[in-house]
């Protein structure tokens, strides 16, 4: 059997706020296995699911000092779907930073509401 990705861990100053942001953005649920750990996963997932990837947001005391080395890419189905998604993410507190790196693709880079 091939190795497969089942979980992504993110560090954040406020695990709960970052976890809620990603849960809302993805339409997933939020759970917590311990103080300082917020689990974001598809609703009804029986971990580890055969195809799902979960996100664990872990509280850390230190502030962010360098740029993120991992980026999560989201796919849309059309220009209209992308416009709706952009508006929804902005409503959740995300800020568009730059377009690209492929301008013709409509790709954007974002800063979440709790990026610091």
């Amino acid at each position: 059997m091939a190795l497969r990705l089942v979980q992504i861990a993110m560090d954040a100053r406020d695990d709960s706020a970052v976890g809620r942001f990603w849960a809302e953005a993805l339409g997933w649920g939020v759970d917590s296995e311990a103080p300082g750990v917020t689990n974001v996963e598809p609703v009804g997932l029986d971990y580890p699911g055969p195809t799902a990837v979960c996100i664990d947001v872990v509280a850390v005391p230190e502030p962010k000092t360098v740029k993120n080395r991992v980026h999560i890419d989201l796919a849309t189905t059309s220009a209209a779907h992308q416009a709706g998604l952009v508006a929804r993410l902005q409503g959740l507190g995300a800020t568009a930073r730059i377009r690209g790196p492929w301008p013709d693709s409509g790709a954007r880079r974002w800063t979440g509401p709790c990026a610091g």
Side-chain angles (χ1 to χ4, degrees):
M1 180 173 163
L3 184 66
R4 63 186 179 88
L5 180 65
V6 295
Q7 190 166 344
I8 297 170
M10 293 181 184
D11 291 347
R13 299 274 316 258
D14 185 344
D15 65 287
S16 181
V18 172
R20 283 192 313 272
F21 170 81
W22 280 108
E24 288 291 326
L26 297 170
W28 290 4
V30 174
D31 194 10
S32 181
E33 65 186 46
V37 180
T38 299
N39 309 109
V40 181
E41 55 195 36
V43 175
L45 174 74
D46 185 19
Y47 182 84
T51 59
V53 175
C54 303
I55 300 171
D56 276 0
V57 185
V58 181
V60 295
E62 64 274 357
K64 180 180 169 183
T65 58
V66 297
K67 76 176 211 164
N68 294 334
R69 299 294 177 149
V70 174
H71 302 273
I72 297 175
D73 293 340
L74 306 174
T76 57
T77 58
S78 67
H81 181 226
Q82 184 182 59
L85 177 64
V86 166
R88 192 163 67 80
L89 291 175
Q90 287 174 323
L92 293 172
T95 302
R97 292 294 179 201
I98 60 171
R99 292 182 67 88
W102 307 278
D104 293 339
S105 73
R108 297 180 177 175
R109 291 195 180 150
W110 295 85
T111 298
C114 304

